[in-house]
Amino acid sequence: MTSSSDQPTTPCVQPSLFAAIPPEVTIYEVGPRDGLQNESTVLSVERKVGMIEGLVDAGIRRIEVTSFVNPRWIPALADHMEVAAKIRRKPEVDYSALVPNMRGLDSATRAGMKEIAVFMAASQTHNRKNINKSTEDALKTYGEVIKEAQSRGMKVRGYVSCVYGCPYEGSVPAQQVIDVSAALLDMGVFEISLGDTIGVGTPRQVEHVFRALLGAGLTMDQLAVHFHDTRGTALANITVALQFGVRTIDSAIGGLGGCPYAPGASGNVATEDVVYMLSGMGVSTGVDIDKLVGISTQLSSYLARELPSKYLKAHMGHCARVGRSL
Ligand code: HMG
Ligand code: MG
């Protein structure tokens, strides 16, 4: 048997896998919107506002606070006007909200929003189920909404859902993702968030989609990622997106989340888990993980259930073992 010191040493000539990873990443917190939209326990306006202000206090600088959608479609966010009006806003923070049409834009304007997000899928059937429109009609509506929002001085983000698979149609060709993303960018959105709505994506698919989008002329500063962690692949997928240089990552406190019109969708990747991983990789987020844990612990008690965040579970287990309170 030879000892390891007897092995010939070959110098490692491969460039670092992490060479393109940015030193700083922005967390786009979707907990108050995506996180709460599918919860059967509806939090009071005061608790939602407390959650949003707590997240900002923890260092979050971009946050989606609610949806100006039809309350019959999303009852848990029916209080959108009150929530948006009651938040004590900080100038250094971008507060955004989903808007599906002109009526939603008018509500967002009255509630004082300066940024909104339009949302649609790369698949026809999810568009029909989620926003009651074909892909073509959704693009037509959003063309008008984006133009009007910009004339009111608002910034507009765009979501493209079902990037890695659709709950109704199965696999979604990358060309459809390119077409919808390019159309929204042409209409004036400043950023596309690529949604793995039902959490089916795997790292090679992420590589395929990013190569396809960049090959079609999109640039990394136009792209954000939005992974639901249904099958436990979100952090692996984020790592691939980071290797491409992504600088905006959507996540939800505690791993809350899910779309009621996407059967099988479960929580977003947890903000705590993303912040923990990035911090270990030397990537700064400006977010205080201990404060996040305080917020998700409180949310877990409000919602009377354990939240999916792995970091939160590990932290609670550690505290229980050493007899420390959370
Ligand atoms: P519709 O029924 O086709 O709308 O819904 P309509 O234009 O025919 O109007 C019907 C009624 O809705 C009317 O009221 C309108 O006034 C009212 P009535 O006359 O019957 O009393 N209405 C509204 N009320 C309040 N706010 C509005 C609004 N618009 C119409 N903005 C609509 C079309 C798009 C409104 C509906 O389908 C809807 O609200 N969908 C939202 C669904 C949703 O929020 N899903 C979850 C989003 S999560 C997601 O998409 C994925 C994401 O997280 C990324 C990812 O994970 O991939 C973003
Ligand atoms: Mg989502």
XYZ file of all heavy atoms in Angstrom, residues 33-34 37 67-74 80 98 100-101 103-104 119 126 130-133 159-162 195-197 226 228 259-261, ligand 1:
355
model
N -45.310 37.896 -0.210
C -46.215 37.677 -1.357
C -46.299 36.181 -1.697
O -47.263 35.517 -1.355
C -45.718 38.518 -2.555
C -46.705 38.588 -3.714
C -46.695 37.371 -4.619
N -45.420 37.125 -5.272
C -45.168 36.035 -5.996
N -46.095 35.101 -6.159
N -43.982 35.851 -6.539
N -45.287 35.630 -2.336
C -45.310 34.213 -2.721
C -45.453 33.346 -1.471
O -46.194 32.355 -1.459
C -44.006 33.883 -3.461
C -44.096 32.662 -4.352
O -44.914 31.789 -4.060
O -43.342 32.582 -5.340
N -49.185 33.686 -0.111
C -50.357 33.630 -1.003
C -51.113 32.307 -0.949
O -52.287 32.243 -1.291
C -49.949 33.946 -2.452
C -49.122 32.871 -3.131
C -48.622 33.269 -4.527
O -48.771 34.408 -4.947
N -48.036 32.325 -5.242
N -49.817 41.294 -3.627
C -50.248 41.183 -5.033
C -51.523 41.974 -5.213
O -52.492 41.766 -4.462
C -50.600 39.738 -5.376
O -49.495 38.910 -5.371
N -51.564 42.807 -6.235
C -52.802 43.525 -6.550
C -53.582 42.716 -7.588
O -53.823 43.156 -8.700
C -52.486 44.946 -7.017
C -51.896 45.774 -5.919
C -50.518 45.913 -5.780
C -52.717 46.386 -4.973
C -49.973 46.635 -4.728
C -52.181 47.117 -3.920
C -50.802 47.242 -3.801
N -53.948 41.496 -7.158
C -54.698 40.585 -8.027
C -56.127 40.510 -7.515
O -56.466 41.104 -6.478
C -54.033 39.181 -8.071
C -52.634 39.269 -8.651
C -53.992 38.527 -6.696
N -56.956 39.771 -8.232
C -58.340 39.609 -7.802
C -58.373 38.805 -6.494
O -57.905 37.670 -6.455
C -59.106 38.863 -8.914
C -60.584 38.737 -8.595
O -61.004 38.896 -7.454
N -61.367 38.450 -9.628
N -58.929 39.372 -5.427
C -58.938 38.657 -4.143
C -59.697 37.330 -4.200
O -59.471 36.450 -3.371
C -59.652 39.619 -3.181
C -59.873 40.875 -3.911
C -59.527 40.701 -5.360
N -60.561 37.193 -5.197
C -61.252 35.899 -5.315
C -60.263 34.819 -5.767
O -60.438 33.645 -5.470
C -62.412 36.003 -6.306
C -63.660 36.671 -5.706
C -64.935 36.196 -6.378
N -65.013 36.695 -7.732
C -65.529 37.874 -8.072
N -66.041 38.669 -7.155
N -65.563 38.255 -9.323
N -59.240 35.232 -6.497
C -58.235 34.263 -6.954
C -57.200 34.000 -5.861
O -56.707 32.875 -5.739
C -57.538 34.771 -8.228
C -58.384 34.650 -9.462
C -59.571 35.273 -9.707
C -58.125 33.836 -10.621
N -60.059 34.907 -10.940
C -59.181 34.028 -11.533
C -57.077 32.976 -10.991
C -59.231 33.395 -12.772
C -57.134 32.350 -12.229
C -58.202 32.561 -13.103
N -56.834 35.039 -5.098
C -55.821 34.880 -4.030
C -56.370 35.522 -2.742
O -55.999 36.662 -2.388
C -54.469 35.536 -4.419
C -53.931 35.012 -5.766
C -53.413 35.348 -3.327
C -53.332 33.599 -5.748
N -54.365 43.668 0.244
C -53.187 44.319 -0.378
C -53.136 45.831 -0.155
O -52.067 46.389 0.063
C -53.093 43.974 -1.872
C -54.372 44.020 -2.639
N -54.811 42.968 -3.419
C -55.324 44.962 -2.742
C -55.962 43.281 -3.982
N -56.295 44.480 -3.582
N -47.021 42.218 -7.131
C -47.513 41.676 -8.401
C -48.705 42.483 -8.901
O -49.571 42.881 -8.112
C -47.966 40.221 -8.250
C -46.944 39.129 -7.970
C -47.573 37.753 -8.231
C -45.690 39.291 -8.785
N -51.479 42.148 -12.286
C -51.825 41.335 -13.461
C -52.491 42.106 -14.597
O -52.647 41.562 -15.683
C -52.826 40.327 -12.886
C -53.561 41.105 -11.841
C -52.591 42.128 -11.297
N -52.922 43.333 -14.316
C -53.699 44.075 -15.328
C -53.818 45.551 -14.920
O -53.276 45.966 -13.888
C -55.093 43.435 -15.507
C -55.843 43.295 -14.183
O -55.489 43.939 -13.189
N -56.857 42.459 -14.157
N -56.340 47.211 -13.776
C -57.025 47.424 -12.505
C -56.022 47.274 -11.349
O -56.020 48.045 -10.391
C -58.184 46.409 -12.387
C -58.691 46.270 -11.016
C -60.162 46.434 -10.857
N -60.427 46.501 -9.430
C -61.427 45.927 -8.835
N -62.312 45.262 -9.551
N -61.595 46.046 -7.536
N -55.171 46.254 -11.435
C -54.144 46.060 -10.412
C -53.154 47.216 -10.389
O -52.693 47.640 -9.328
N -46.405 39.180 -14.331
C -46.046 37.763 -14.229
C -46.830 36.921 -15.223
O -48.024 37.098 -15.407
C -46.274 37.255 -12.798
C -47.691 37.404 -12.296
C -48.543 36.308 -12.196
C -48.186 38.653 -11.925
C -49.842 36.454 -11.730
C -49.497 38.807 -11.472
C -50.324 37.713 -11.373
N -50.459 27.114 -18.219
C -50.325 27.775 -16.915
C -50.833 29.209 -16.997
O -51.447 29.710 -16.052
C -48.881 27.726 -16.399
C -48.779 28.173 -14.964
N -48.311 29.425 -14.615
C -49.148 27.574 -13.801
C -48.369 29.561 -13.294
N -48.874 28.446 -12.773
N -53.636 30.442 -14.449
C -53.152 31.363 -13.409
C -53.635 32.793 -13.617
O -53.933 33.499 -12.653
C -51.612 31.335 -13.390
C -51.010 31.969 -12.152
O -51.517 31.793 -11.042
N -49.934 32.702 -12.326
N -53.723 33.218 -14.878
C -54.135 34.606 -15.126
C -55.282 34.683 -16.139
O -55.630 35.764 -16.607
C -52.942 35.509 -15.553
C -52.117 34.871 -16.672
C -52.060 35.828 -14.358
C -50.999 35.791 -17.206
N -55.847 33.510 -16.464
C -57.034 33.436 -17.320
C -56.821 34.086 -18.683
O -57.726 34.743 -19.210
C -58.217 34.084 -16.577
C -59.554 33.563 -17.077
O -59.600 32.500 -17.711
N -60.626 34.297 -16.817
N -55.625 33.918 -19.214
C -55.313 34.499 -20.523
C -54.399 33.549 -21.305
O -53.639 32.793 -20.705
C -54.553 35.822 -20.365
C -55.397 36.969 -19.862
C -54.559 38.249 -19.784
C -55.369 39.372 -19.176
N -55.763 39.117 -17.768
N -41.816 38.419 -14.410
C -41.598 37.008 -14.076
C -41.911 36.148 -15.284
O -42.931 36.367 -15.958
C -42.572 36.561 -12.982
C -42.185 36.897 -11.581
C -42.789 37.960 -10.919
C -41.251 36.127 -10.890
C -42.463 38.258 -9.603
C -40.925 36.426 -9.572
C -41.533 37.478 -8.941
O -41.205 37.761 -7.641
N -41.083 35.151 -15.520
C -41.444 34.097 -16.469
C -41.467 32.795 -15.662
O -40.457 32.377 -15.101
C -40.438 34.013 -17.633
C -40.807 32.858 -18.558
C -40.422 35.331 -18.407
N -42.649 32.209 -15.569
C -42.826 30.996 -14.765
C -42.702 29.737 -15.627
O -42.723 29.817 -16.854
C -44.222 30.995 -14.122
O -44.337 32.052 -13.243
N -42.650 28.609 -14.934
C -42.620 27.284 -15.596
C -41.436 27.144 -16.547
O -41.526 26.476 -17.579
C -43.934 27.035 -16.343
S -45.377 27.075 -15.275
N -38.696 31.648 -13.181
C -39.354 30.876 -12.130
C -39.378 29.384 -12.379
O -39.850 28.916 -13.419
N -38.856 28.645 -11.384
C -39.077 27.191 -11.386
C -40.291 26.980 -10.471
O -40.169 26.594 -9.306
C -37.842 26.453 -10.850
C -37.991 24.942 -10.976
O -38.991 24.487 -11.581
O -37.116 24.214 -10.461
N -41.448 27.227 -11.028
C -42.699 27.337 -10.281
C -43.027 26.083 -9.474
O -43.541 26.166 -8.359
C -43.836 27.622 -11.287
O -43.345 28.559 -12.234
C -45.082 28.140 -10.617
N -35.601 32.327 -9.496
C -36.709 32.153 -8.546
C -37.006 30.648 -8.489
O -37.716 30.109 -9.329
C -37.902 32.949 -9.089
C -39.152 32.877 -8.271
N -39.627 33.945 -7.536
C -40.068 31.887 -8.101
C -40.764 33.619 -6.958
N -41.069 32.375 -7.281
N -38.446 27.322 -6.578
C -39.200 26.636 -5.520
C -38.448 25.337 -5.235
O -37.868 24.729 -6.144
C -40.638 26.391 -5.981
C -41.460 27.657 -5.968
N -42.322 27.962 -4.938
C -41.497 28.714 -6.811
C -42.866 29.150 -5.173
N -42.384 29.632 -6.308
N -47.736 28.290 -5.480
C -48.751 28.927 -6.330
C -49.995 28.054 -6.337
O -49.941 26.881 -6.710
C -48.198 29.091 -7.743
S -49.409 29.727 -8.905
N -51.153 28.607 -5.923
C -52.362 27.794 -5.886
C -52.804 27.290 -7.257
O -53.585 26.350 -7.344
C -53.425 28.735 -5.303
C -52.789 30.062 -5.107
C -51.335 29.965 -5.414
N -52.299 27.912 -8.335
C -52.682 27.479 -9.681
C -51.580 26.662 -10.352
O -51.527 26.549 -11.568
C -53.115 28.692 -10.514
C -54.261 29.387 -9.803
C -54.060 30.532 -9.046
C -55.530 28.818 -9.807
C -55.101 31.117 -8.323
C -56.580 29.386 -9.089
C -56.355 30.534 -8.348
O -57.388 31.082 -7.633
P -60.433 37.359 -14.665
O -61.495 36.701 -13.867
O -60.178 36.885 -16.056
O -60.614 38.941 -14.681
O -59.097 37.242 -13.830
P -61.644 39.835 -15.406
O -60.841 40.931 -16.017
O -62.578 39.031 -16.288
O -62.499 40.407 -14.165
C -63.302 39.558 -13.360
C -63.496 40.215 -12.000
O -62.235 40.339 -11.351
C -64.094 41.631 -12.069
O -64.867 41.824 -10.886
C -62.859 42.496 -11.978
O -63.114 43.777 -11.474
C -62.018 41.704 -10.971
P -66.476 41.621 -10.890
O -66.947 42.564 -11.937
O -66.698 40.180 -11.245
O -66.852 41.955 -9.476
N -60.598 41.991 -11.118
C -59.806 42.435 -10.121
N -60.039 42.694 -8.827
C -59.008 43.143 -8.095
N -57.764 43.337 -8.597
C -57.490 43.071 -9.870
C -58.548 42.620 -10.692
N -58.614 42.278 -11.997
C -59.869 41.907 -12.245
N -56.276 43.269 -10.352
C -56.916 37.967 -13.190
C -57.870 37.720 -14.342
C -55.529 38.122 -13.774
C -57.333 39.211 -12.468
C -56.971 36.751 -12.224
O -56.722 35.609 -12.968
C -55.982 36.849 -11.108
O -56.131 37.658 -10.215
N -54.926 35.969 -11.110
C -53.868 36.045 -10.147
C -53.384 34.666 -9.825
C -52.178 34.733 -8.935
O -51.892 35.719 -8.286
N -51.456 33.607 -8.891
C -50.290 33.462 -8.079
C -49.128 34.194 -8.633
S -47.654 33.244 -8.380
C -46.991 33.038 -9.889
O -47.662 33.326 -10.848
C -45.604 32.495 -9.997
C -44.467 33.386 -9.474
O -44.328 33.229 -8.072
C -43.153 32.944 -10.121
C -42.932 31.445 -10.114
O -42.984 30.821 -9.045
O -42.707 30.902 -11.200
C -44.680 34.854 -9.794
